[in-house]
Amino acid sequence: MLVLGIESSSPIASVALVSAQKLWGEMTLNIGLTHSEQLLPLIDDLLQQTKVNLVDLEGIAVSGGPGSFTGLRIGMATAKGLAQGLKLPLVSIPTLLALAFPQTGYFGLVSAVMNARRNEVYTALFRFSGNDYEQLEPYQAIHPQLWAEKLVAYQETVLLTGDGVSGYKDIWRAALGDKVVSPPPFLQIARGASVAWLGQQRLCKGDADDLFTLKPMYIRSSEAERKLAGAK
């Protein structure tokens, strides 16, 4: 099954084509452009470079959040438009799972951590055992210090990955000491290939989301929503 993966939950835009046999291609940009400027051109370029036509696609996977509210909306709208126009099944993949997934093969705790601003991070905790994983803590927005305290309670080494790691490294190190490890920065981004691969796994099982009711997983309200609520 040939699946297009779309990742737009952070300033990084990433798209990929994946089948059960291989990664056909992936394009990732972190150059400061908005997703409305670069997402469709990236998809078009990817299809041209891999010599794949839109009609060859068999499914679409999109990063479902949490993350940038604007980025998620643009990615979801793009995925829905393509899925509806091409009559393809669509699946949403949790961003934190896609962020942790490149650590497949690792044995131990993996925490995906995204900068949520307002002194919080979006995070979750997984236990990886080679090709298998188990989710131990739910998707949430939490203060880094509180999250570090939760991780300490496991009394195990934990691998931290994501753009929320470096900004709070003093907190992680103070709480966890030598029980915290991190991959190099280029492995700490949510990738279109991860979204596509996880989506392909779901789609091959006949699992798909409802095109018209699917919404991003924001976890918390937007700044505009908070201001509106405060004005009432």
Side-chain angles (χ1 to χ4, degrees):
M1 173 174 276
L2 187 58
V3 175
L4 171 67
I6 299 172
E7 164 54 52
S8 61
S9 64
S10 75
I12 298 173
S14 183
V15 298
L17 284 172
V18 162
S19 68
Q21 292 76 34
K22 66 176 183 178
L23 169 66
W24 289 60
E26 181 179 34
M27 293 189 173
T28 301
L29 289 180
N30 185 18
I31 56 176
L33 294 178
T34 64
H35 292 306
S36 59
E37 294 177 277
Q38 60 186 352
L39 204 52
L40 283 173
L42 265 183
I43 293 171
D44 184 59
D45 198 16
L46 175 64
L47 293 172
Q48 288 190 39
Q49 293 292 334
T50 55
K51 295 180 171 56
V52 171
N53 295 315
L54 284 172
V55 294
D56 296 324
L57 297 178
E58 298 173 273
I60 296 176
V62 62
S63 181
S68 160
F69 284 68
T70 301
L72 289 172
R73 289 189 183 110
I74 292 172
M76 190 71 71
T78 301
K80 283 188 172 185
L82 289 170
Q84 185 173 13
L86 297 169
K87 295 181 172 57
L88 293 174
L90 170 67
V91 289
S92 175
I93 302 300
T95 305
L96 291 164
L97 174 58
L99 183 56
F101 191 70
Q103 307 309 321
T104 298
Y106 180 78
F107 285 80
L109 300 180
V110 176
S111 176
V113 184
M114 297 178 65
N115 184 7
R117 301 183 181 180
R118 291 171 35 216
N119 292 318
E120 288 186 332
V121 292
Y122 293 125
T123 190
L125 183 66
F126 305 88
R127 183 182 299 281
F128 278 77
S129 301
N131 293 326
D132 298 321
Y133 66 88
E134 173 190 6
Q135 186 167 348
L136 303 179
E137 297 284 348
Y139 304 117
Q140 58 194 284
I142 188 172
H143 190 282
Q145 183 62 49
L146 294 178
W147 184 241
E149 292 170 6
K150 278 193 176 186
L151 296 177
V152 168
Y154 281 87
Q155 298 183 336
E156 297 180 45
T157 297
V158 57
L159 185 151
L160 298 179
T161 183
D163 65 7
V165 175
S166 61
Y168 300 103
K169 60 184 179 181
D170 291 341
I171 290 178
W172 315 129
R173 186 61 64 185
L176 294 158
D178 59 4
K179 289 187 177 296
V180 60
V181 295
S182 290
F186 70 92
L187 292 177
Q188 295 191 47
I189 62 173
R191 296 175 49 192
S194 296
V195 173
W197 184 261
L198 289 164
Q200 185 256 152
Q201 290 183 331
R202 280 189 59 191
L203 290 167
C204 284
K205 296 175 183 177
D207 186 12
D209 292 310
D210 185 278
L211 180 64
F212 300 102
T213 60
L214 179 63
K215 295 179 181 179
M217 176 175 60
Y218 295 123
I219 293 184
R220 68 184 190 194
S221 57
S222 68
E223 186 70 28
E225 290 169 328
R226 289 192 297 274
K227 288 181 179 178
L228 181 61
K232 293 181 179 179

